[in-house]
Amino acid sequence: MDITATSAWQLLQEKWQQTAAMHMRQQFESEPQRFADMHIALPGMMLDFSKNRIDGETIDLLCRLAAEAGLPEKTRTMRSGEKINVSENRAVLHTALRLPTDAAPVYVDGENVVPLLHRELERALAFADSLLDGRFTGATGKRITDFVHIGIGGSDLGPQVAVQALHPYCRNIRVHFVSNSDDANIAQVLGRLNAETTVFCIASKSFGTPETLLNAHAARDWFRTQGHSEADVARHFVAISSEVAAAHQFGIEADKVFAMFDWVGGRYSVWSAIGLPLMVAIGSEAFRSFLSGGHAMDEHFFNTPYRRNMPVIMAMLGVWYNNFYHAGGHTVVPYSHNLRRFPAYLQQLDMESNGKSRKINGEPVDCDTGPLIFGEEGVNCQHAYFQLLHQGTRLVPADFIVPMSSPYRIGRQHRFTVANAFAQAEALMRGKTLDEALLELASLPAAEREMLAPQKVFPGNRPSNMILVDDLNPYTLGMLIALYEHKVFVQGVIWGINSFDQWGVEYGKVLAKAIEPELSGEPCGKHDSSTNGLIDYYRRCHQSD
Ligand code: F6P
């Protein structure tokens, strides 16, 4: 189907023409009920979407568009285990990973996957707990103090973000992450370790990602140089992969390989064994709470009318700005130091999922798809790129994510941070008129006032969502991640794309494979002049090696 040909799309186009000039400041003045009508509260989390360039009718039309795009049917198909990732012929069942043990069966190729996924989950949780309580020791009998997770992309970002976010819940094992092939990453981690008390975890669904294998070999080589035998490797190295044989070939025993399933995509896999570093950091009980939070958001998404449905509302507002206002970017701003890597996580989740220009059947898309996602922790971002949000020429919708409490209780820092988040959203919405600017500068000489005042004008009318999290804990973090997963899914349905493959990542990998030998061996000279010049420059830098 061509989404732009639906009646809802046409009506939204008209709606945009009628309302684009409306200012939210006036809407707030004339609609005292606006916040009451435009917020959704769930246990643990609240979304205020009233600071958007919409009225009640816009929401109705956006929900109608979701229905016309077939969202109810597509959601049902995803949940049922049908192979909706058609280009890879795979089911998409990250939601199953959050199901309770007594959930109704979910079949993939005739097999009920619920018992299977719980078996693997229990294995991983039991291993994590055995590290935490000291039952699992290193080869010399010492208690494990450090856990190094080696993976990249979906095999890294989810657990990394979650471990950082849940810092107050972290227990007695230090968890480190190595993802980059730049050796600065692994060098800095290894420099902090004692091999005797370290477990390395190689996380790669394919067990074939070159960055991960490079780091895995570097870790193993280092481990051996610390006086450990090959037999000790088998004790200190574990893997998370769907390729058990490849992990075994690396030296990891089959009972230390935690399974991944082909029906869970990398960027949706933090709920699976890929969450092992989080399990090690916070323990099994807290990890179960993380899963429960994700499941609670699933239940909300699956069972709530679209008008009151958090992921659907957030997704459709994104469509409104992306496709009708032609905003090319979207910023996500956690006012939380512990959520500082959450924007990076969302970049992969959103841009790898919806950065597509072909529809699921291979035809070109009918409209713009995923926006550029970026973000930084508040309040730091206010002293960096927020100038552009306030006074630049582009419309950049924002999501603010603000925990309502802090476990650290240092002075008035948390209250100050929250106040800044609220103030930024208010300023983006209200703006500042020329009259207001002139009034502020009343004490200045007229010429100076006239020159300065226009520069102090803020157009306002800049949209934002405010997501308030009562307390950032395993449960609400689970809700938050699942919220964005579903938002991305809904948008993919609207744009008619496959949100679950990532062919665009492959091409660069292939070219890198060809160039690496040329950096030390014979250059083939068959590239463009720029690439040849870069190879040559590198070689000259290494002439004396
Ligand atoms: O970045 C591309 C990608 O294919 C991601 O989708 C995936 O999460 C990541 O590489 C790592 O893949 P693997 O887990 O197979 O090492």
Side-chain angles (χ1 to χ4, degrees):
M1 86 187 286
D2 175 356
I3 190 72
T4 66
T6 56
S7 63
W9 189 283
Q10 305 295 325
L11 291 168
L12 279 162
Q13 194 62 48
E14 284 167 27
K15 184 74 186 171
W16 176 80
Q17 273 154 3
Q18 291 155 11
T19 57
M22 259 165 51
H23 201 293
M24 281 190 273
R25 194 196 265 225
Q26 274 91 53
Q27 289 180 296
F28 270 98
E29 277 161 14
S30 63
E31 297 166 29
Q33 282 298 305
R34 196 170 166 88
F35 170 77
D37 291 344
M38 296 188 186
H39 81 273
I40 301 169
L42 299 178
M45 187 179 288
M46 194 269 280
L47 166 70
D48 168 18
F49 60 98
S50 61
K51 293 194 187 80
N52 279 289
R53 294 170 74 162
I54 52 170
D55 58 21
E57 191 189 30
T58 326
I59 302 172
D60 288 341
L61 289 174
L62 287 169
C63 293
R64 183 169 153 183
L65 181 66
E68 286 187 25
L71 182 61
E73 176 58 10
K74 300 230 163 86
T75 307
R76 193 201 58 73
T77 339
M78 176 175 73
R79 290 178 77 185
S80 70
E82 275 181 50
K83 297 192 173 171
I84 62 166
N85 176 1
V86 289
S87 71
E88 296 180 319
N89 193 31
R90 287 174 179 168
V92 174
L93 278 176
H94 47 280
T95 53
L97 297 170
R98 311 181 292 233
L99 286 172
T101 32
D102 56 358
V106 179
Y107 293 100
V108 177
D109 293 328
E111 183 185 12
N112 177 12
V113 296
V114 178
L116 175 71
L117 68 90
H118 277 284
R119 198 179 62 220
E120 282 309 309
L121 174 68
E122 292 306 323
R123 278 187 66 219
L125 288 171
F127 179 68
D129 281 347
S130 73
L131 294 186
L132 282 166
D133 63 23
R135 273 178 295 128
F136 184 98
T137 59
T140 56
K142 287 197 176 156
R143 204 176 167 125
I144 299 302
T145 56
D146 293 82
F147 182 91
V148 181
H149 184 83
I150 300 176
I152 197 165
S155 296
D156 162 69
L157 283 160
Q160 191 183 144
V161 162
V163 169
Q164 209 170 55
L166 298 176
H167 171 259
Y169 293 83
C170 288
R171 293 171 53 185
N172 51 335
I173 294 184
R174 287 180 293 267
V175 177
H176 313 264
F177 292 87
V178 175
S179 56
N180 202 334
S181 57
D182 179 355
D183 49 5
N185 192 173
I186 192 159
Q188 288 168 23
V189 170
L190 293 177
R192 297 198 285 266
L193 302 175
N194 172 0
E196 270 183 289
T197 57
T198 300
V199 162
F200 292 91
C201 173
I202 317 302
S204 176
K205 189 172 164 184
S206 58
F207 219 87
T209 301
E211 294 88 338
T212 300
L213 292 183
L214 204 60
N215 281 321
H217 283 283
R220 193 177 62 184
D221 293 347
W222 174 84
F223 183 76
R224 294 294 310 275
T225 62
Q226 304 299 298
H228 284 286
S229 67
E230 203 54 41
D232 294 346
V233 169
R235 180 134 193 104
H236 284 253
F237 281 71
V238 303
I240 308 163
S241 185
S242 50
E243 300 299 327
V244 182
H248 186 59
Q249 215 172 6
F250 179 88
I252 299 169
E253 288 167 351
D255 72 330
K256 293 209 190 64
V257 182
F258 300 97
M260 293 178 78
F261 310 105
D262 84 341
W263 35 268
V264 177
R267 54 192 174 274
Y268 299 88
S269 63
V270 62
W271 320 94
S272 71
I274 281 290
L276 186 60
L278 181 61
M279 300 174 200
V280 171
I282 65 176
S284 60
E285 204 180 315
F287 190 85
R288 287 185 209 280
S289 173
F290 171 68
L291 294 178
S292 300
H295 181 62
M297 185 54 74
D298 296 339
E299 291 291 301
H300 167 74
F301 173 57
F302 295 146
N303 301 315
T304 311
Y306 290 169
R307 234 183 169 284
R308 311 297 310 154
N309 192 312
M310 264 193 206
V312 173
I313 290 289
M314 283 177 60
M316 298 314 294
L317 287 168
V319 169
W320 180 232
Y321 297 118
N322 194 55
N323 297 110
F324 297 89
Y325 283 86
H326 300 289
H330 186 106
T331 188
V332 182
V333 191
Y335 272 71
S336 157
H337 183 61
N338 287 348
L339 280 173
R340 63 194 175 279
R341 289 284 286 162
F342 193 58
Y345 171 78
L346 287 184
Q347 279 178 329
Q348 192 206 18
L349 176 66
D350 199 316
M351 294 163 80
E352 199 166 90
S353 297
N354 286 345
K356 313 279 164 69
S357 49
R358 293 278 161 173
K359 289 197 283 192
I360 205 151
N361 61 2
E363 287 174 7
V365 290
D366 305 305
C367 57
D368 279 332
T369 59
L372 180 69
I373 304 289
F374 67 101
E376 174 63 67
E377 64 183 294
V379 299
N380 297 10
C381 54
Q382 294 173 205
H383 301 269
Y385 66 88
F386 264 41
Q387 165 63 34
L388 185 148
L389 301 193
H390 284 293
Q391 289 189 308
T393 54
R394 295 167 198 282
L395 181 75
V396 185
D399 289 353
F400 292 91
I401 302 168
V402 192
M404 290 291 92
S405 61
S406 162
Y408 302 104
R409 299 174 191 276
I410 297 187
R412 57 185 184 85
Q413 297 203 214
H414 180 253
R415 202 177 54 193
F416 175 91
T417 309
V418 172
N420 270 272
F422 293 176
Q424 288 299 317
E426 186 177 31
L428 286 165
M429 183 277 288
R430 276 180 65 81
K432 191 191 285 178
T433 64
L434 184 61
D435 284 348
E436 287 169 339
L438 282 166
L439 201 64
E440 271 179 19
L441 301 169
S443 61
L444 294 181
E448 201 178 332
R449 205 170 63 212
E450 297 298 321
M451 181 273 290
L452 268 181
Q455 299 184 50
K456 296 204 169 219
V457 167
F458 288 63
N461 216 14
R462 308 222 156 174
S464 65
N465 293 316
M466 183 68 70
I467 300 165
L468 304 186
V469 180
D470 293 5
D471 170 44
L472 185 59
N473 57 40
Y475 185 87
T476 54
L477 181 70
M479 288 178 78
L480 189 65
I481 293 177
L483 167 66
Y484 276 95
E485 284 180 350
H486 293 313
K487 177 204 157 174
V488 167
F489 168 71
V490 173
Q491 292 187 331
V493 168
I494 302 297
W495 295 322
I497 56 184
N498 180 356
S499 299
F500 302 104
D501 59 12
Q502 57 284 318
W503 299 107
V505 186
E506 302 303 321
Y507 188 39
K509 290 187 192 171
V510 175
L511 294 191
K513 216 173 181 174
I515 288 176
E516 199 197 337
E518 293 183 53
L519 295 177
S520 46
E522 268 309 296
C524 74
K526 281 188 184 151
H527 304 277
D528 56 87
S529 65
S530 165
T531 309
N532 284 335
L534 298 173
I535 292 171
D536 191 44
Y537 193 93
Y538 176 91
R539 291 169 63 86
R540 275 188 277 125
C541 287
H542 287 266
Q543 247 159 16
S544 56
D545 288 1

